[in-house]
Amino acid sequence: MIPIDAPIEIKKISECFPPKDTNHLGGISDGLRYRTVFGGSSLEQSYGMLRQFLSEEGYEDLPLPADAAALKLFRHPSKKKAIKLFEEYGYIHYPIKIFFHPHLSKEHTLILYIYNKNTNQSLLHFHDRL
């Protein structure tokens, strides 16, 4: 029997990826990727929450845009790329993707995907090649 005052150990996503069809800390995992949403009253607030979440889950060493203004630069493709319908744009750096919500009414909402680095062909899944 576990004592009532015993601390509950919750493993970080980077250490123990959530299994398929599980809810974890407000997000959903399919075993290959974990998806969660951050919606604050401003993009700055949403991005701050997302950065804090990544840090707490063991991804503090990933290079990320310095602030919400820098993240906003990833909202649209570069001027050399044509805009494609239904394509998601945002910041990607293996194993994470940060997308902006597609509806303008939710412009402060960010969608975070974390890919399971321990699965077969994880990098191909990350780049949507499988």
Side-chain angles (χ1 to χ4, degrees), residues 88-111:
E88 296 176 296
Y89 294 104
Y91 180 78
I92 65 169
H93 189 283
Y94 185 73
I96 66 156
K97 294 182 180 181
I98 302 170
F99 293 126
F100 296 89
H101 199 282
H103 299 293
L104 291 177
S105 63
K106 296 184 178 188
E107 64 184 14
H108 304 304
T109 301
L110 297 172
I111 302 166

Side-chain angles (χ1 to χ4, degrees), residues 2-47:
I2 299 173
I4 294 174
D5 58 347
I8 298 173
E9 184 180 346
I10 298 175
K11 296 203 179 209
K12 298 176 182 181
I13 293 174
S14 62
E15 298 169 356
C16 183
F17 202 85
K20 183 178 182 176
D21 298 327
T22 58
N23 293 322
H24 178 75
L25 300 173
I28 300 169
S29 174
D30 65 5
L32 295 174
R33 68 182 183 174
Y34 170 82
R35 178 188 186 275
T36 192
V37 178
F38 296 89
S41 59
S42 67
L43 184 58
E44 291 77 13
Q45 187 182 43
S46 298
Y47 188 51

